[in-house]
Each structure stands twice: as C-alpha cells, then as structure tokens.
Amino acid sequence: MADEVNKTAFLEIQGRMIELTGKLKQVQNQMRNKEGEKKRAYLTLEELRQLSDDTNTYKSIGRTFVLEPKPVLMNEQEQKLKDSESAIASLQTSKEYLEKQMAEVENNLRELLQQDPGLARQIMSMSVM
C-alpha cells in the first residue's frame, strides 16, 4: 500500500518537474527574444543619433518604406527599448519564481527517494531510451 502511494507521489512530482522545466525554458526563450529586441532598438537608436536632424529617415512597414521625421523614429526606438527592459525585468521575476518552484520540487523528490530506498532502486533499474 505504501509502495503504491510512493509511486503515485513520484509520478506527480515527475509531472510537476516536467511542467516546470517546460515553463522555465519558455521564459528563457522569451527573455532571449526580448534581449534581441532591446539590442536592435539600442543599435538603431545609436545610428539615428549620428544623423543630422534634416536627414530624411524612413520607417519600414512590411515591404514599404514611409518617410518619417527623425524625432518620431527616435521616440519609437526609445519606447521599444523601454518596453523591452520592462518585459525583461518581468520575465526575470517569473524565471526566479520558477527556479524556486523547481528547487522545491527537487527537494520533494529527494525526500521521497530517501524515504523509500526501494523506489529509488526501482527507478535506477529502469533503462532510459
């Protein structure tokens, strides 16, 4: 009876760990994307700053380029930069939360395996394909 309870608990912990790992990877990918957006906005802003104010600047909209004043493009890039920074900060908070959850699940798994050495042996004897 206790063996079945431990197996069930192990499967629940394993499922939770798989779920958290997926979420963590997703957040890391989102952070990577936002870092790329931030870098693009920063580099574009730096290039725009080097241009004189009377230079014709164009904004890409799909396959079309539209004439836009330099200050408008600079404001857009500054806004993209700020948005990316705030999104990265939010994602960092989510990442830290998920990492704490992951550590908690790992501790639960460790406790379960220490509590039932038979289950640990059973798991170790399974071949991973």
Side-chain angles (χ1 to χ4, degrees):
M1 180 69 176
D3 196 36
E4 282 299 317
V5 171
N6 285 341
K7 282 184 181 180
T8 305
F10 172 75
L11 292 175
E12 287 177 16
I13 291 172
Q14 183 183 32
R16 181 86 173 116
M17 190 163 227
I18 291 169
E19 176 188 344
L20 286 172
T21 302
K23 286 181 181 180
L24 190 59
K25 285 181 182 180
Q26 184 180 17
V27 167
Q28 288 170 336
N29 285 335
Q30 289 173 342
M31 283 181 71
R32 210 171 300 115
N33 290 340
K34 288 296 177 184
E35 287 287 344
E37 287 178 23
K38 178 182 167 184
K39 188 172 186 175
R40 251 187 315 282
Y42 174 77
L43 292 172
T44 304
L45 199 55
E46 288 303 308
E47 290 297 319
L48 285 172
R49 286 187 179 129
Q50 295 174 11
L51 299 175
S52 64
D53 289 336
D54 61 341
T55 303
N56 287 339
T57 54
Y58 294 86
K59 176 181 177 180
S60 171
I61 301 177
R63 299 163 116 192
T64 308
F65 292 93
V66 179
L67 181 64
E68 288 279 349
K70 179 184 166 188
V72 170
L73 289 178
M74 287 189 69
N75 286 341
E76 285 178 8
Q77 294 304 315
E78 288 170 353
Q79 188 62 44
K80 282 183 184 178
L81 191 65
K82 289 177 187 172
D83 290 347
S84 293
E85 287 174 348
S86 65
I88 289 169
S90 172
L91 289 167
Q92 182 64 34
T93 304
S94 296
K95 180 183 171 190
E96 290 169 2
Y97 172 76
L98 288 170
E99 286 172 343
K100 286 179 186 175
Q101 291 287 314
M102 188 75 121
E104 186 178 313
V105 168
E106 287 173 358
N107 284 337
N108 290 346
L109 182 60
R110 196 171 294 116
E111 286 176 16
L112 179 66
L113 294 177
Q114 287 174 352
Q115 183 181 16
D116 187 358
L119 181 62
R121 280 191 294 277
Q122 223 177 5
I123 293 168
M124 295 300 285
S125 69
M126 291 179 181
S127 61
V128 180
M129 297 286 169

